[in-house]
Amino acid sequence: MPIWLEAGLWGLLGGAALVIGALIAWLVRVPDGVVAGVMAFGSGVLISAVAFDLMAEAADTGGLVPTALGFLGGAVAYLGANALLARRGARHRKRSGGQQPSEDEQQGSGAAIAVGALLDGVPESVVLGVGLLAGGTVSLPVLAAVFISNVPEGLSSAAGMKRSGRSARYVFGVWTAIAVLSGLAALLGYVALGDAPPEVIAVITAVAAGAILTMIADTMIPEAFETTRSWTGLITSLGFLVAFTIHLA
């Protein structure tokens, strides 16, 4: 199998976790505490991947200064895009309660939520594709982090969409489209950077890492803390430990 196609399939697999989470939320009434706990766990998993599999590798390859600049650039870019989408109704896109606005309450919020969900998923998918450039195989810790964190993301957001009155067609259309686009992002990440110097790949990896960490702090942890409160830190730490164990293994 061509590696570019493999990159796309790994990205599709990571994105498919969003659909799985949305399906669970649509068919089963998952308690808010469970949703929040899994979201906290997924946050810890992603933080571990950012620290040990993305930033450490980027710094080793590209050096500290380019990696730091790329990381900050990714964080600022995500912050700006997220702020713009928040004004259009996507601020609470990962919330499972009644915080998400309906289309009647805020015109265009449905499209903003869909674009916001795509914004959250693209950096993770690009990292999967770029990771194949280094060793020819996907990074298991990164793949596990993306998949484990995407399930509660899809679950929580879809639950919120359902409560705001959005249809099954809309909900599953959004998540299926994002899963496909995640596969394409991973594929394009591999193809576009196939001939790039290792230093450039390191900076791109750092940019994605900055965007992912900002996404965790802006959207995932607030959703978890709203319900789990003082347990959030412990559950997040457990997720971090599990991902760190996968990294060492």
Side-chain angles (χ1 to χ4, degrees), residues 15-232:
L18 293 166
V19 181
I20 294 172
L23 185 62
I24 294 172
W26 198 264
L27 298 177
V28 182
R29 175 65 175 89
V30 182
D32 291 343
V34 174
V35 175
V38 179
M39 186 71 77
F41 185 87
S43 298
V45 170
L46 273 181
I47 291 170
S48 177
V50 167
F52 297 107
D53 295 288
L54 301 182
M55 287 298 288
E57 182 178 335
D60 288 343
T61 304
L64 177 59
V65 173
T67 298
L69 292 175
F71 182 81
L72 291 175
V76 171
Y78 181 91
L79 177 66
N82 192 48
L84 178 62
L85 290 168
R87 289 199 294 269
R88 297 180 179 273
R91 180 181 302 277
H92 300 301
R93 60 184 175 273
K94 282 190 172 65
R95 300 297 180 94
S96 57
Q99 300 94 334
Q100 289 187 25
S102 66
E103 199 67 22
D104 291 336
E105 292 171 330
Q106 185 165 357
Q107 190 70 26
S109 60
I113 289 171
V115 174
L118 180 62
L119 173 68
D120 297 338
V122 165
E124 302 169 352
S125 302
V126 170
V127 163
L128 288 174
V130 170
L132 287 168
L133 293 171
T137 58
V138 71
S139 169
L140 181 58
V142 175
L143 177 63
V146 170
F147 193 91
I148 292 172
S149 64
N150 275 354
V151 170
E153 284 186 48
L155 195 159
S156 180
S157 185
M161 291 176 181
K162 185 177 181 181
R163 290 186 180 182
S164 66
R166 304 193 188 279
S167 67
R169 181 178 180 181
Y170 169 83
V171 172
F172 291 104
V174 165
W175 293 120
T176 301
I178 291 172
V180 172
L181 290 172
S182 295
L184 290 175
L187 187 155
L188 291 174
Y190 177 85
V191 172
L193 297 171
D195 298 324
E199 293 77 12
V200 173
I201 295 175
V203 172
I204 296 298
T205 301
V207 169
I212 291 170
L213 187 58
T214 306
M215 180 270 291
I216 295 169
D218 281 359
T219 65
M220 293 182 70
I221 290 179
E223 160 66 13
F225 183 78
E226 187 171 295
T227 302
T228 56
R229 297 295 178 179
S230 59
W231 289 96
T232 305

